Amino acid sequence: MNYISTRGQKDGLSASRVIIKGIADDGGLYVPEKIPVLTKHEFDALIGKSYGETAKFVLGKFLGDFSKAEIEQCVAGAYTAQSFEGGEAPIVELDGDTGVLELWHGPTCAFKDMALQLMPRLLVTSLAKNEVKGKAVVLVATSGDTGKAALEGFRDVGAVEIAVLFPDEGVSAVQKRQMTTQLGGNVAVAAVRGNFDDAQNTVKSIFADVNFNQKLAEKNMFLTSANSINWGRLVPQIIYYFYACAQVKARGLLEQNYSDGFVDICVPTGNFGNILACFYAKKMGAPIGKLICASNSNNVLTDFIKSGVYDRNRDFIKTSSPSMDILISSNLERLLFELSGHDGAYIAELMDSLAKDGRYIVSDEIKRQLSEMFTAGFCDDTGTQKEINRVWKERGYLLDTHTAVASDVLHACRERQNSGRYAVLVSTASPYKFASDVLSALGAELPESELGSVEALSAVTGQPIPKGLRGLAELPVVHGDVLDSCEARQWLSDKLKAPR
Ligand SMILES: *Cc1c(COP(=O)(O)O)cnc(C)c1O
């Protein structure tokens, strides 16, 4: 299996090389030259398999230059009963025709763990396979969930160091405490004065600093990123869609529910990574019907799927589902490449237009395919609060703000036109991660400190706090540095340990 760029360059690189490289030289994203298709027999064989077994099978289809033993080792290290206490991706029944796919049982209680527990292992294996010498320094700017998930994923993994910069003003109290209490011998964390853009620009300027990179090279180190455009972060997400479909099939819900043997899947969407993985699973032959793309008030994708016009020229809105506050969904480029029949020149044109004018319009043929495969909707903060309240009262199930957006969109879709199919609602975060907003949605009083909301939510609902968020207020802060942007280089140099 070789990989090519969405903008036309046909490198024909192996999986391990694209995981090391991240982004193609022409600015495009790497995709498999051909999407592998499963036989019905292969899919049926996944029913009843463990998450680890499902993972090995799916990864085997994409990581052509990894040996069976290498894949086994990566999977065994990532998906352990200790890291995923409540199971990797259980489906909890919400009502007769909806199940919630809970993807937040990992160490940081957000779905990014599903990819970031595995990706560091894929990267370390790739570096070794290609005999890349020296130490990789993973540098991340985060607005919240990614930073903590990356820290946990890379903590004490191989010859890698990880440094995370988060905006001093711009992450929740829970997220901040999760990061500043991070353990591990190869981790560094600091706050950058300012907002997310300041942190992001700091990181970008370090990546672009020739002098700094040269000094690193003299110490036998090099910078790399762990963001969601790396194929190594996308491929782990395909696994849970097969695992989900196998669970639904095993419970007899595909046939029983007066449906046509397919399941609809509703995904709370930001950078389009999660729902793109669902698209790949469908193309590979998983019995998936409609892909329902749910956005918050930053509803660029809703408009795009409905009209074929992608237009980021609009106000950025800060919402209670911050991980979906995105106006440029990078991974959409991969979908458009597939729908255009691998027309790299055409995709390069669209992306040029996005960079220049902040918008593009797709062809009628792509528009047709979009409306055939996708349904889209959005939900604002008021709707999010109402939905959390409704589902708790009616079903006794607690949604986080991101999942509530999706739940509301799914509900609205069904009122417009019910497909009759069973639907899987993809849940991307534990409600305890966004405890203050969930508490106020339930009409409960907010405690004085934001961190106190976690305990308060448990007291109000009688539900246990997940392991990763228990006792957070009492954990010692071990990363207290607060930097001005211009101090970040020096800070990073001081933190890095030269390879042995
Ligand atoms: C990252 C994230 C999302 C958005 O996922 P994409 O793959 O970027 O679409 C949704 N919900 C939560 C809680 C997240 O952390």
Side-chain angles (χ1 to χ4, degrees), residues 1-6 9-26 28-33 62-66 119 122-127 129-130 132 224-236 280 334:
M1 163 80 60
N2 282 325
Y3 288 79
I4 52 175
S5 162
T6 49
Q9 194 177 317
K10 294 202 166 40
D11 300 22
L13 290 187
S14 67
S16 68
R17 294 259 26 140
V18 307
I19 290 170
I20 293 171
K21 258 187 104 178
I23 191 159
D25 295 330
D26 61 1
L29 310 186
Y30 283 115
V31 289
E33 201 160 23
F62 286 104
L63 306 180
D65 66 332
F66 281 56
M119 189 263 187
L122 300 180
L123 176 63
V124 168
T125 308
S126 299
L127 291 170
K129 289 181 81 63
N130 290 279
V132 176
T224 182
S225 81
N227 59 26
S228 72
I229 54 179
N230 191 306
W231 181 254
R233 264 192 69 181
L234 198 77
V235 69
Y280 278 117
R334 286 188 163 112

Side-chain angles (χ1 to χ4, degrees), residues 38-185:
L38 272 59
T39 62
K40 188 174 176 309
H41 177 76
E42 278 179 311
F43 174 73
D44 286 344
L46 291 176
I47 297 164
K49 284 258 180 359
S50 70
Y51 197 81
E53 291 296 325
T54 311
K56 281 188 258 176
F57 176 79
V58 173
L59 294 174
K61 293 276 175 193
F62 286 104
L63 306 180
D65 66 332
F66 281 56
S67 71
K68 226 175 154 178
E70 284 167 339
I71 290 177
E72 263 182 40
Q73 201 188 9
C74 290
V75 168
Y79 303 114
T80 64
Q82 202 204 359
S83 294
F84 291 86
E85 220 180 19
E88 288 85 356
I91 292 184
V92 175
E93 288 294 327
L94 194 60
D95 53 48
D97 50 18
T98 317
V100 185
L101 177 66
E102 295 182 344
L103 299 178
W104 42 262
H105 290 279
T108 80
C109 306
F111 99 101
K112 291 187 173 65
D113 288 330
M114 301 302 296
L116 278 165
Q117 283 296 304
L118 182 63
M119 189 263 187
R121 292 175 167 84
L122 300 180
L123 176 63
V124 168
T125 308
S126 299
L127 291 170
K129 289 181 81 63
N130 290 279
E131 296 178 16
V132 176
K133 299 283 186 292
K135 201 174 211 181
V137 177
V138 180
L139 181 59
V140 180
T142 182
S143 58
D145 286 347
T146 304
K148 178 63 180 180
L151 285 165
E152 274 299 322
F154 279 97
R155 145 187 196 181
D156 298 326
V157 171
V160 177
E161 300 264 335
I162 172 151
V164 170
L165 296 174
F166 67 86
D168 195 24
E169 313 144 22
V171 298
S172 75
V174 170
Q175 289 172 325
K176 184 170 184 168
R177 184 56 72 107
Q178 277 189 306
M179 288 188 273
T180 57
T181 57
Q182 177 68 44
L183 300 177

Side-chain angles (χ1 to χ4, degrees), residues 274-414:
N274 200 355
I275 196 166
L276 180 72
C278 187
F279 166 83
Y280 278 117
K282 178 178 165 75
K283 282 284 156 192
M284 292 170 73
I288 295 169
K290 281 272 185 199
L291 282 68
I292 303 167
C293 177
S295 302
N296 63 24
S297 293
N298 295 293
N299 55 357
V300 192
L301 286 168
T302 316
D303 291 346
F304 173 65
I305 289 169
K306 289 190 171 153
S307 69
V309 180
Y310 193 97
D311 192 346
R312 64 153 302 190
N313 300 305
R314 58 180 81 203
D315 290 335
F316 176 87
I317 302 166
K318 265 182 95 91
T319 73
S320 62
S321 44
S323 298
M324 297 157 70
D325 290 346
I326 289 177
L327 290 180
I328 297 192
S329 301
S330 319
N331 267 305
L332 186 60
E333 183 170 343
R334 286 188 163 112
L335 175 73
L336 297 176
F337 184 69
E338 293 303 330
L339 300 187
S340 73
H342 286 196
D343 188 345
Y346 175 65
I347 300 302
E349 251 173 57
L350 294 183
M351 295 304 135
D352 255 6
S353 161
L354 180 65
K356 270 202 221 94
D357 310 322
R359 73 198 295 270
Y360 57 78
I361 305 173
V362 296
S363 68
D364 287 346
E365 168 55 19
I366 292 183
K367 219 177 118 181
R368 188 192 59 75
Q369 293 182 63
L370 282 172
S371 57
E372 195 175 279
M373 223 177 295
F374 291 86
T375 305
F378 76 99
C379 167
D380 65 12
D381 274 359
T382 311
T384 305
Q385 295 255 314
K386 274 196 195 146
E387 184 66 0
I388 292 171
N389 191 291
R390 180 186 75 83
V391 174
W392 174 249
K393 290 222 170 97
E394 289 179 10
R395 304 281 162 208
Y397 186 87
L398 205 53
L399 297 167
D400 96 288
T401 48
H402 303 74
T403 312
V405 165
S407 179
D408 180 76
V409 168
L410 174 63
H411 202 67
C413 272
R414 280 179 160 159

